[in-house]
Amino acid sequence: MAKLPIINVPDPMLKTLSDPVGQVDDDLRRLMDNMLETMYDAPGIGLAAIQVAVPKRVIVLDTEGDEETGRKPVFLVNPEITWESEEFSVYNEGCLSVPEHYAEVERPATVKVKYFDYHGQQHEELMEGLQATCVQHEIDHLNGVVFIDYLSKLKRNMIIKKVRKATKDAMIL
Ligand code: NI
């Protein structure tokens, strides 16, 4: 496994509409393994392929952890929301492509998601709580949407300016 570089706003790649995956093969599994390592290392609870500059409809999540290992990864290929609750919930969201900035975003509290897993098996699953918010945030990435797009233009531009400056400063060091 290898750690991949994560791109930050305002990289125009983050606005890309990612392409559906044709087949879950070893190359794709290698990408998913690398994405997972990158996500755990960051650390984060979700990552979309476009955040490592790969425009494919692939996301990895781990919002629950496991009692023994602390890890419970979920791989989603070509994820699609097939149902969403009328009830909403609000989380203070962050994003590995918008380092150190957080904002409250309102989204459906429960969603049903259809996807292919690490082995190419199809699932349709109800997700709720943090996992529901996370999967919606990551599917947004596949459609070129970042959580700051839900904020006012003023707030969004302020965050982008700060991230750009921090990224620039980091390169000097
Ligand atoms: Ni994100």
Side-chain angles (χ1 to χ4, degrees):
M1 287 204 274
K3 225 188 88 187
L4 306 167
I6 296 174
I7 58 176
N8 289 345
V9 291
D11 192 316
M13 257 217 122
L14 289 168
K15 301 253 182 214
T16 308
L17 178 68
S18 293
D19 297 322
V21 171
Q23 199 186 341
V24 181
D25 55 16
D26 286 344
D27 282 344
L28 194 80
R29 277 186 278 273
R30 198 167 306 123
L31 170 69
M32 291 194 279
D33 289 341
N34 291 340
M35 283 172 60
L36 193 73
E37 186 183 339
T38 304
M39 182 189 84
Y40 283 139
D41 183 76
I45 58 169
L47 187 73
I50 195 65
Q51 293 180 273
V52 291
V54 178
K56 289 184 180 172
R57 301 190 79 80
V58 178
I59 64 185
V60 296
L61 308 177
D62 189 344
T63 54
E64 292 175 21
D66 177 80
E67 271 187 28
E68 270 177 39
T69 61
R71 292 184 173 188
K72 195 181 175 190
V74 183
F75 301 91
L76 301 98
V77 178
N78 296 343
E80 240 179 277
I81 291 173
T82 56
W83 175 85
E84 53 189 43
S85 63
E86 283 174 23
E87 188 192 324
F88 283 76
S89 65
V90 176
Y91 274 92
N92 197 30
E93 294 190 19
C95 178
L96 294 176
S97 295
V98 191
E100 291 174 38
H101 291 273
Y102 303 88
E104 289 194 335
V105 179
E106 190 181 65
R107 301 181 186 272
T110 309
V111 289
K112 198 183 263 184
V113 186
K114 203 161 132 181
Y115 64 95
F116 293 89
D117 68 14
Y118 192 83
H119 303 286
Q121 300 286 338
Q122 198 174 31
H123 299 260
E124 191 164 14
E125 206 177 291
L126 213 54
M127 296 186 179
E128 55 185 12
L130 181 60
Q131 194 179 39
T133 287
C134 188
V135 79
Q136 291 173 82
H137 173 121
E138 303 309 333
I139 291 174
D140 271 355
H141 276 302
L142 305 182
N143 296 324
V145 175
V146 179
F147 82 97
I148 55 171
D149 293 333
Y150 295 110
L151 310 179
S152 70
K153 198 175 170 189
L154 187 75
K155 190 145 193 223
R156 181 167 62 246
N157 287 344
M158 196 186 71
I159 290 175
I160 288 172
K161 209 171 140 188
K162 284 183 180 166
V163 171
R164 186 187 289 198
K165 186 174 183 300
T167 308
K168 217 171 114 200
D169 290 349
M171 280 178 190
I172 293 164
L173 294 169

